[in-house]
Amino acid sequence: MKIKDLLVKNVMIMDLKATTKEAAIDEMITSLAASGRINDSVLYKEGIMKREGQTSTGLGDGIAMPHAKTKAVNEATVLFAKSNHGVDYDSLDGQPAFLFFMIAAPEGANDTHLQALAGLSRLLINPDFVASLKTATTPEEVQELFSAAEAKHDAEEKAEEEAIKLAATTADTSKKPFVVAVTACPTGIAHTYMAEDALKKKATEMGVEIRVETNGSEGIKHRLTDAEIARASGVIVAADKNVEMDRFSGKPVLERPVSDGIRKSEELITKAVAGDAPIYHGTGEKSANDSSERSGGSLWSKIYKDLMNGVSHMLPFVVGGGILMAISFLVENMAGDKSEAFLFLNSIGGNAFSFLIPILAGFIAMSIGDRPGLMPGMVGGFMAVESGAGFLGGLAAGFIAGYIIVGLKYIFRKLPKSLDGIKPILLYPVLGLLIIGAVMYFIIDPIFGGINTAMIDFLENLGTGNAVLLGALLGGMMAFDMGGPFNKAAYTFSIGVFTDTGDGKLMAAVMAGGMVPPLAIALASTIFKNKFTADERKSGLTNYILGLSFITEGAIPFAAADPIHVIGSSVIGAVVAGGLTQFWGISIPAPHGGIFVISLANHALLFLLALAIGTVISALILGIWRKPVNALKS
């Protein structure tokens, strides 16, 4: 799509009447609404004003670029408006604005639209082009000016790419100062690319070699490599939103608003070349999305980073949903399971928990395959939940979906550049979903479903003849996959026995086994502080509440991040706790509730003792067995 196609003639305003910022915005919105380009003027204005609240889109040099990406937009449009008297627009340089480009992007704007909008932003860096726009008198003349400027820019960009390729094969690049930069703005439509172009043009004028990474609506483009960062004398981060920073640890880093990348590019480049900036100190972890990181390092380090991306995004659902469910059990104990308060709180917590595995899988896949991996990963995770495959099935879904996207990117890497726009909007979503759906439906789900059925049959045939052995087995199964086939088989079997006979002995074993993992993690993170990160220690505290409430899922983030140590230690403690409940003949006539229903047990104190013994054993094993934090990251 060409920029001319977005510059619709019948919405242009060649003589803007407004004299104030908001009046100018209203006048332009009225023109968009009158032509049917937007469907809700109020909603669209909310988006525009929200963006203005972050940073004024009055760029200086007489240009303003108000923009919003919202469902109020029917079709991507750029409204060109010209004021003959100037508008007080709170511009960055304090001067009136004469040229306006109101960008209306639909919520689902595709890659083609976004590329055209980015191209528009880049053209406005050229002062000669801007001067010609100020003298234009008709919509047709505006379109012609953009067509000519776009063709010239495309030719220059192609020549620049060829020059970069040529420089990469020679030693000439080492003779020039070299800096790297990242540009980003909240909506990723305008300022991101204007800052990129301003920095590149100024660097060329100054005889400085520069590589600029953009974090825009198209995603991350021209990602900086480890080698480029290491070679650079300084780093420029011109951004109004978070970008990946830990990769710059140890380098002089200038952190400035994206507007400085546009207006103060010479100052930034001068300081970066001289290393005149604070040294950035990161946490030591690099982005899992860094392609250069994927080509080196140990296999476990790559897996660990992908896991942590999923775990960190899943954690709020665990904590928020788990705490509300725990409160609901307390309410149930006082007001009953039919009370409105219990149903309300339990429903909210349960709804949050229904997202755990899809979120885990989705963000693992996104870590591997970037943004296109998110959707197939989440769907694969949801299928794991629906089939009873649990978090282990979700882990498999996340990694499989991520590498499916990596494979698709490789397969389609040689498609013509003109077809780049259909990759993220059509090829990756459709084929990614189809393949992960087939893998989950025909392979992963049946395997875990078969395991579930086999375990229930095994437990039923085992019977209750050897109570201690059965209790230990049930307890261990509850801790093994924390919601997966083993956990569900143990819980289902115990519920069945309880329903048929009213005997709550096996419920005691299941409850103890399910409470041990989160409690052991909480205790271990309290005692062995050097074995857990600061965030893990904070999350560990919530596991005291989740564990006491018989919410095993509180341990899932830790088990996902470090499965061998967490699951191994949890199973051992849960086996001991489950076996002790049967050795002491403990019975709990309730299917859930944890600490809130222990008073119903025939030997409440012995149950607490069994739970404590199992928890301490697991916590000690985990704390001793687990490596220190720095070793875990290596």
Side-chain angles (χ1 to χ4, degrees):
M1 176 176 284
K2 297 296 184 181
I3 295 174
K4 186 177 74 171
D5 299 327
L6 298 175
L7 284 160
V8 182
K9 290 190 291 185
N10 65 349
V11 301
M12 291 188 190
I13 304 174
M14 301 307 295
D15 184 13
L16 194 71
K17 303 300 183 185
T19 58
T20 65
K21 179 175 182 174
E22 188 160 358
I25 288 172
D26 287 337
E27 190 174 340
M28 289 185 280
I29 290 176
T30 298
S31 179
L32 287 171
S35 63
R37 311 299 286 193
I38 61 175
N39 55 61
D40 189 332
S41 298
V42 175
L43 181 60
Y44 180 69
K45 184 177 179 180
E46 286 178 3
I48 290 289
M49 299 311 290
K50 181 179 179 181
R51 176 62 186 88
E52 294 297 324
Q54 294 168 331
T55 309
S56 175
T57 57
L59 304 176
D61 297 325
I63 300 173
M65 191 179 285
H67 52 276
K69 185 177 179 181
T70 167
K71 63 182 179 182
V73 179
N74 292 325
E75 191 171 354
T77 308
V78 177
L79 182 151
F80 172 80
K82 188 173 73 162
S83 170
N84 295 318
H85 43 72
V87 175
D88 182 5
Y89 202 86
D90 298 330
S91 297
L92 298 175
D93 60 359
Q95 300 300 310
F98 294 90
L99 298 181
F100 299 85
F101 299 87
M102 178 171 273
I103 298 174
E107 202 165 48
N110 63 28
D111 195 48
T112 305
H113 284 140
L114 296 173
Q115 288 176 12
L117 294 174
L120 166 69
S121 305
R122 293 184 173 108
L123 294 182
L124 297 178
I125 292 297
N126 188 328
D128 294 334
F129 175 62
V130 171
S132 64
L133 286 174
K134 289 181 178 178
T135 61
T137 57
T138 66
E140 289 78 11
E141 189 177 353
V142 172
Q143 284 191 330
E144 289 172 5
L145 286 170
F146 268 99
S147 293
E150 188 174 17
K152 181 181 178 182
H153 185 274
D154 288 346
E156 291 175 347
E157 193 172 58
K158 185 176 181 180
E160 181 185 356
E161 289 177 358
E162 292 299 323
I164 291 173
K165 290 179 182 178
L166 179 62
T169 63
T170 68
D172 293 342
T173 56
S174 62
K175 298 177 182 178
K176 290 183 178 180
F178 178 67
V179 298
V180 295
V182 180
T183 64
C185 67
T187 54
I189 292 176
H191 294 61
T192 300
Y193 304 104
M194 295 182 76
E196 175 199 17
D197 237 42
L199 288 166
K200 287 163 70 174
K201 286 181 181 295
K202 184 56 66 175
T204 300
E205 293 174 12
M206 297 171 65
V208 174
E209 186 185 354
I210 191 170
R211 280 273 289 117
V212 184
E213 173 188 304
T214 57
N215 286 213
S217 290
E218 301 175 80
I220 297 176
K221 298 291 185 180
H222 314 300
R223 182 182 289 280
L224 301 175
T225 67
D226 284 351
E228 289 168 338
I229 294 169
R231 185 162 71 93
S233 57
V235 179
I236 299 167
V237 177
D240 290 334
K241 69 174 187 177
N242 291 334
V243 299
E244 300 165 11
M245 292 296 295
D246 282 341
R247 53 191 166 150
F248 304 133
S249 187
K251 303 292 293 187
V253 177
L254 287 164
E255 294 186 73
R256 298 289 186 86
V258 69
S259 58
D260 281 7
I262 300 170
R263 296 190 48 75
K264 300 180 180 180
S265 51
E266 184 173 2
E267 175 192 334
L268 296 181
I269 292 170
T270 300
K271 286 180 175 290
V273 168
D276 182 13
I279 301 299
Y280 184 81
H281 298 286
T283 63
E285 293 184 48
K286 298 179 182 177
S287 165
N289 283 334
D290 192 331
S291 58
S292 64
E293 181 72 15
R294 292 204 158 276
S295 63
S298 69
L299 176 63
W300 169 243
S301 69
K302 297 172 186 175
I303 293 174
Y304 180 76
K305 290 179 174 66
D306 296 332
L307 276 173
M308 290 309 298
N309 193 57
V311 169
S312 63
H313 285 88
M314 176 181 67
L315 201 55
F317 293 84
V318 176
V319 175
I323 296 297
L324 289 182
M325 287 185 73
I327 295 173
S328 77
F329 294 148
L330 178 61
V331 171
E332 180 190 24
N333 198 39
M334 296 185 296
D337 61 3
K338 298 295 190 293
S339 66
E340 194 67 28
F342 166 74
L343 294 173
F344 170 69
L345 291 169
N346 195 263
S347 174
I348 295 175
N351 286 334
F353 266 37
S354 67
F355 284 94
L356 295 187
I357 306 306
I359 291 292
L360 173 68
F363 281 93
I364 288 173
M366 185 175 177
S367 177
I368 297 168
D370 212 342
R371 193 174 301 173
L374 180 63
M375 183 275 291
M378 289 191 69
V379 174
F382 181 77
M383 292 179 72
V385 173
E386 291 294 288
S387 68
F391 97 86
L392 294 179
L395 284 175
F399 281 100
I400 293 169
Y403 284 106
I404 285 171
I405 295 299
V406 170
L408 290 174
K409 287 182 177 181
Y410 180 80
I411 291 171
F412 295 124
R413 71 192 186 283
K414 293 185 178 179
L415 279 182
K417 193 171 182 61
S418 60
L419 297 179
D420 277 354
I422 71 169
K423 292 179 184 178
I425 202 67
L426 179 64
L427 296 179
Y428 298 153
V430 173
L431 294 177
L433 180 59
L434 178 64
I435 297 171
I436 188 62
V439 170
M440 296 301 294
Y441 187 84
F442 292 108
I443 301 174
I444 302 297
D445 292 350
I447 288 175
F448 281 93
I451 290 173
N452 198 20
T453 302
M455 290 307 302
I456 292 176
D457 291 342
F458 171 74
L459 291 171
E460 288 177 345
N461 292 329
L462 184 62
T464 57
N466 193 327
V468 174
L469 175 61
L470 184 58
L473 181 60
L474 291 172
M477 290 173 65
M478 289 297 293
F480 181 71
D481 55 0
M482 304 169 192
F486 286 86
N487 176 285
K488 279 186 168 56
Y491 190 76
T492 301
F493 175 73
S494 300
I495 286 288
V497 172
F498 176 64
T499 302
D500 292 341
T501 67
D503 188 344
K505 288 183 179 179
L506 297 184
M507 286 309 311
V510 164
M511 198 172 292
M515 293 170 74
V516 163
L519 286 175
I521 288 167
L523 185 60
S525 65
T526 300
I527 298 172
F528 301 94
K529 296 184 184 298
N530 66 319
K531 303 295 182 75
F532 297 84
T533 66
D535 287 340
E536 286 176 331
R537 291 197 297 272
K538 292 174 185 176
S539 301
L541 293 176
T542 65
N543 270 285
Y544 282 115
I545 299 173
L546 301 180
L548 290 173
S549 303
F550 185 29
I551 300 175
T552 315
E553 286 84 351
I556 287 180
F558 294 86
D562 188 12
I564 295 176
H565 299 121
V566 172
I567 293 177
S569 59
S570 294
V571 168
I572 294 172
V575 164
V576 173
L580 286 175
T581 63
Q582 302 310 291
F583 181 74
W584 288 326
I586 302 168
S587 174
I588 298 181
H592 62 77
I595 194 71
F596 304 111
V597 298
I598 287 175
S599 60
L600 303 176
N602 58 343
H603 301 297
L605 293 178
L606 286 176
F607 179 86
L608 291 174
L609 179 59
L611 179 63
I613 292 172
T615 297
V616 170
I617 289 173
S618 285
L620 290 175
I621 293 173
L622 178 59
I624 295 169
W625 190 13
R626 203 173 199 234
K627 297 179 181 179
V629 170
N630 290 337
L632 276 173
K633 293 176 181 177
S634 63

